Each structure stands twice: as structure tokens, then as C-alpha cells.
Amino acid sequence: MRLVITEEMFRRLHEHLFRDDRAEHGAIILAGISQSESGTRLLVREVCLAKDGSDYLYKGDNIWSLQAKFIAKHLSKCRQGRLVHLAVHNHGGTDSVRFSAVDLRSHEYGYPAHLEVTEGMPVGALVLARKAVAGDIWMPDGDRQSLEETLILGKSVRRLYPNPRSANISCDQRYDRQSRIFGPSGQAILHKTKVGIIGLGGAGSQLADFLSKLRVGEFVLVDPDRIELSNLPRVVDATDFHARAWFLNERWPDWVHGLAKKSSTQKVKLAKRVILKNNPRAKVEAIPDDFAKTRVAQKFKDCDYLFLAADTARARLVFNAIVHQYLIPGVQVGAKVLLDKASGNILDVYAVVRPVTPGRGCMWCNELINKHRLAEECKTQQEIANQRYVDDEDVVAPSVNTLNAIATSQAANDFLFYITGMTKPSASRNYMRIRPAYRKVTMDEPRRDATCSECGEKEMRYARGDQVELPTSM
Amino acid sequence: MNAETTQVKVSFRDQHIHREFALSVAIDDVRKWALETLPNMAPTAPYSIVFLDPATGQEVAVDANVTELKDLVHDGANVLEFNLISPIIKVLVNNTACEFTDNRQTGRSIKQRAIECGVQMTVDFILSIEKPDGNTKTIGNADEVCVENGQRYIAIPDDDNSDGDVNSQVSTAIEETRSNFPDVQVHVCPDGNGGARLIVDSVKLGPPYAQEATWIGFHVPHTYPYSDIYPHFVRHDISRIDGAAFGEGFSSGEFQGRSAVQISRKSKNSTAATHCVAKLLSVIDWLKSH
């Protein structure tokens, strides 16, 4: 079981618990829950600090007490909001922490009642030392689980454990050169990381290639399309065979062309082959389907990082929702060549890298999800033909491999430094726009709307995990 | 008796207050009277109205038609006894349904009833009620409560925490230290072995020192009271008014992350049990008189 919390919330909690007075302090965390084959994640939605002297009292005999009236208020909130209730306090010490006998006795005395109140939602407790977190989580089915890891999502991800981890890690010689940058422990982290790549065209296939060479251990890939002739200059390892090029020759009748297109290699299958060629030990789930379907999108909810390399509005909407609902950082990559419709002249050429991370604004409040395109994408082809549909130069957009590479290499590096904890504190998290024709890079600071339904911390979706539906199709 | 009126006796059953009174009611109005007037006589709980058929002793609902009532009166029964029966009041305590027949309760009685209904709790749990605005309100044991259908109550205890286990001897030492310094904070950091490191926030200094006060810290090991408590630590910037250097027994050090001056005063008697507060006070005395 893991706890996931943003850096801002963790800092607020830490500052409350650890002060110069070196005393105990308390708080309550309300968390969403995500359950999957890879385990359970508790997603911190709200941190409620207990006021010393009223919500948190000293009882004598070295015993402090989180008051029932403070707990009751939040248990009620958890029942109504379908959230997990976690009582939090701190101990002394730095790198390791565990519950005391007093703590555990109190859990056994009171938490059966907590479970009754929350009506099927787990309850529990966390105890923090300065650099350690332990948890005792009570599940509705009677199971009781310990917290294995706490992930703090900042510019890098930080990991806290109940006890220091053993550093006895060996490294495959193949990865010697790169592990000299982030160490064997960083390499081990990559091996245990699960990434999702949405869209395996030019940009997505490059990401699959880069990340598998970094020895990322697990991939979930989704793209409904098959390789076409026009993909060959951009999709990694794509050949005439994959596109069934020979059968697309003019001498063949249309029905042969149709058959060729229907039987060409699925993009996700090709990407899977590329990944396994680079890292035979990688686990890869390749889904030749639409990411915006419910059962497909659910496959991404236990990823550690997401890459959006598809450009449909629906994919953006679902990707954005998963990032904030399941507290999974991600990045959107893209490249664009803008043409003048009349003359065909190139107006601008740029690549974008847009980090999308919980607590930092989102694609919806930055108006990067077009409502009109969303509506169009939900129509059938016949409806599009019957209703007015204006040609959009983006429909058959120019695209070039090297332009994709600018965005994908930056995104892959952003991921690498993030996941190994090496991003500098001063690093920007702004959107990058690279204009190679001008050799210019601009940074756009994303806006953040506190009332945004998708990313607002008090709004419908944030950190709600499995309790809220994704904006997907059935 | 006027054939068109009847005597009515009204009593409230299953209520705190028992009231009985007799009055005359026009027979044609009995039903209407029962439905409109009786409710005003009842306590605030919802209720149902039945009357006892004097002939059969059976209970008959008031919405029986007038003809039946007339028939009963014609049988010579000139007293109709109406009973107002409080129906069952259902509330939830920790999401378990609990039933009351009397809407007047106290915090304690609600908890006792909840235990009878199978809620996993004790009477020591703190009771709260969920309010419509989503907040909760605590209910004391003696607080009077009017229970109503659909209310939700929460009964839970305080959640006790301790920053680590100290053994009973060390726990006593901590309490004695706190008792001796009631006006200042005593910080306790268990060492993980049953002992603890203590810091008393402020003890008076003054001459011969330039500082008015200092914190003082020390380790009470799990082997206390067998082991000595030694050394002690005070603020790192302690200085004498006359500027003289400190002599033997003083050195620079660190305690619980604080830079400190270490005061090394071993107890003279190596076999007698140590007393934490006595040792602390003797070190303070030595410091002031040194």
C-alpha cells in the first residue's frame, strides 16, 4: 500500500508536526483510494491540521490525544465523500518510525467504530518522523495493512519509508554508463517504474524507444491505429512490411488496398516489439484500442507517470482527468507545423512539452481541451459528413521526425530526472515551446484555477481515485 | 348522556408524561377531533392514534370510519379511551440502526441503547450528532436530546498517541520532572529502548551568568534509576558576567540537534539509585554556584 501526496500538502503537514518545540502534534488526512492489481494507493486530498489545546491535547503520562469531536467531523466527511480517514501524529527520530504500544492500543480500541462510521471506507493512522512515515490501515473487510511507501510529488518524486532502505543493489553492465548519472538505486527505481504512453505514432514510438533503453520496467501502451505508409518516416522501426506497402501499389485493386490497410501492423504491437528488443525483461501491455474508453483508461490508473502523445481532445480530457484523479504526474508532447491555408506557406514550426502535475493547474483550466473538438470527436462519421464540418489544417497536419524528437527527448529527460529525484529545486515546471526555426525556447507558466472541476483541490475530481467516474465512453 | 356526544378519555402511552382527561365530544366529530385535536396534546414526537374498543379490548385505528365509532357508542360504552402510541423512532449510531420508543433521551441513554443494538462501542465513547450542514456537534452524557427519525450519531473515543514507549520508571521520572517545572514545557523524545531524552525549556540563571535563563537537557536511560543521569546540556551561548572562562566540567557539545554546553557532573555515590529530579536540581544548583 502506498500513500501519494503533493509536495505542497506534505510541506504544510510537516511544518505543522515538526516545530522547534519538539512536541507531538496531530492532523487528519482525507484521502481517495485507488485499487488495482498492483496494489492500493491512498491519494491525499485534504490535510486538516489539529489545533493544539483544543483538537489535540496532552493527557499526561507522555500521552497526547486527538479529540473525538475533531475526528467525528472528519469521519462524517469521509462517509459522505467516500474518502479514507487517516489520523496523523509525529514521533521523534529521523529515518525510522513505528507506532508505539499506546498508539496501537488506541487503534484497536477505536478504529472498529471508525470503520462503522465510514460505511465501507478504510480508516487508519499515519505516524511521521522527520524523514520516515509508517501507516496502519484498517480495511472494511477486516484486513489490516501497513504502509510500504509514501510518494511526495514535487519537482522530483521523493520516497519515504517506515525504515531506511537497504542500498545493496547491483547494476547490469549494460546500463553502467547511464547508472553513473543516477546510481544503481536510480536504475533500480526505473526498473520498478510503470509508465503509460498514449499514442504510439511518431512521438509515442520515440518515447517507447527512449524509455525502454533507460530500462523502465513496465509499460502500458494504447493506440487504435495501424501503421500506414505516411508513418514510415516517423514511427520507430516501422518498415514497408509493417505498412503492407507492396499491396498498396497502384497496380492492385482497391479491395486489396483495403485489405492491406486492415492487416497492417498495429502501432502498439510495433512499439511493444521495440521495447522488448531494448529491454527483454520489460512488461508490456499493448492495447490496440481507444484510450477514452472506460475499460482502457482504467489500465492507466496505477502508472507512475503518463505520456500523452496523442492529439485528440478526448485523449487530452481523459489524460488530464487521470492525472488529477489518481495523482499521477504526466506530460503532453506535441509538434506542430502551421501552414497558411491559402498559400501553403509555413507560418510556424514548434514542439511543445507540457508537464501536467497535480496541484499545478491542468489542461482544462489552461484551455488546452477544445470543447468543440470534443463534441466533434463524439460524433459518427455520418454525422460529421451531414453536419457542417470545416476543414481543419490539423486534420492532415505536416509532421517531421526531428521535430517530434525535440519534444520527446525533453519529456523523457524530464521524466528521468523526476523519477530518480534529480530535478533541481530551481527547475521550472512551465510549459516549454521550442521553435527550432528561430532556435528559441519559451516557457509559459500554466494558470491554476482553484475552482477548476478537474484540478481544484476542493472540487469533484481531485484525488478521488476510484470513487468518481472518468470522462470516458462505455 | 346526549346520544350525539360521548365521553372521551385520553391517555398517553409510552411517554414520559402520563396525562389523562375526560371530555365530551360530539360523536360526529370524534374522528375529526381525534385527528386534529389530539396531536396538539401530544409531545413533539410523531405518533399514531388508536383507541381501545371497550367491548373487545382491541385497538382500532382512528381512521376507522365514523360509523364504527357510532356503533361502539351505541353499545353503551360511553367512554372511549384514546391511546397515543409513540411509534418506533429509528436513528443510526455508527451506521447501525437503533430504535427508541421515547424521543426524550440523554447522551448516555443513546449510547447505552446503541450498545444494546450491537454497536461496537463503550459508554466512554464520545457521542456526536451529524447536523444537516455536514458538521457534527458533541453531545455530553447528561445533555438532553430529542431523538428523531433518520438522525445520524457518531460514537468514537479520543485517539491516543504517545511518541514512543518509555518504561514505567522513566515515565515516572518524566512526570516528576514536569511536576517540578509546572510552568514550562518539558519536551520528551523516547530513545527507542524505553528511555527518553528530556529538555526542560527554561530554568532561571542570572548572576554569575549574563543570561537570565537557559534550557537544560539530559538523557534518562532505560536502566534508570540504576544508571546515573549524566551529562546535562545547557544553551551554547552561556557566558559569565565577569567574562571568566568556565572551568572543569564544562565542554562544548550538542543535544537533540541543538548546539550546547555540556555539563559533566557524575553522581558521587556510584551504587545509590539515581533520582532524576534530585540530580537535575543538584546540577542546576552547582551551575549557579560554580
Side-chain angles (χ1 to χ4, degrees), chain A residues 150-344:
Chain A
T150 296
L151 299 177
I152 303 163
L153 309 183
K155 290 186 179 179
S156 293
V157 64
R158 276 198 295 144
R159 294 173 177 81
L160 295 183
Y161 303 95
N163 298 296
R165 284 274 160 127
S166 148
N168 188 17
I169 303 160
S170 61
C171 182
D172 188 326
Q173 214 178 23
R174 253 174 290 212
Y175 304 96
D176 175 62
R177 289 289 297 276
Q178 69 187 34
S179 72
R180 287 167 191 260
I181 298 176
F182 39 77
S185 56
Q187 192 64 68
I189 288 170
L190 284 165
H191 179 63
K192 287 187 211 160
T193 297
K194 180 175 179 180
V195 301
I197 305 177
I198 302 127
L200 276 304
S205 69
Q206 285 180 351
L207 285 165
D209 189 34
F210 290 150
L211 298 172
S212 54
K213 285 193 165 121
L214 286 176
R215 211 195 184 189
V216 168
E218 195 170 350
F219 293 79
V220 187
L221 313 173
V222 66
D223 193 311
D225 293 340
R226 293 178 181 271
I227 300 291
E228 298 175 1
L229 269 181
S230 63
N231 298 147
L232 298 189
R234 290 180 311 285
V235 174
V236 174
D237 280 11
T239 65
D240 282 0
F241 169 77
H242 297 117
R244 307 293 185 263
W246 193 70
F247 291 104
L248 295 171
N249 195 289
E250 281 175 2
R251 65 171 176 270
W252 295 107
D254 285 346
W255 69 267
V256 172
H257 294 167
L259 200 60
K261 286 177 183 172
K262 280 187 188 168
S263 67
S264 66
T265 304
Q266 291 165 328
K267 286 182 178 175
V268 289
K269 293 275 168 69
L270 180 57
K272 181 174 178 177
R273 276 183 221 147
V274 168
I275 290 168
L276 291 175
K277 181 186 72 174
N278 293 332
N279 180 10
R281 292 190 200 165
K283 287 190 232 170
V284 186
E285 184 172 5
I287 308 171
D289 207 338
D290 178 6
F291 171 60
K293 287 184 183 170
T294 304
R295 61 181 166 75
V296 176
Q298 288 288 328
K299 300 269 188 187
F300 289 77
K301 72 177 191 181
D302 61 348
C303 289
D304 300 304
Y305 206 91
L306 295 175
F307 295 86
L308 176 64
D311 203 30
T312 63
R314 287 166 69 236
R316 288 187 177 195
L317 184 70
V318 176
F319 161 83
N320 192 60
I322 292 177
V323 163
H324 295 93
Q325 190 166 321
Y326 290 96
L327 297 188
I328 303 172
V331 62
Q332 183 240 333
V333 296
K336 199 158 234 179
V337 178
L338 285 179
L339 298 177
D340 183 286
K341 260 165 104 171
S343 64

Side-chain angles (χ1 to χ4, degrees), chain A residues 61-75:
Chain A
D61 289 330
N62 206 35
I63 295 175
W64 301 80
S65 181
L66 196 61
Q67 295 298 285
K69 68 175 193 288
F70 184 69
I71 298 171
K73 179 168 73 172
H74 295 99
L75 279 174

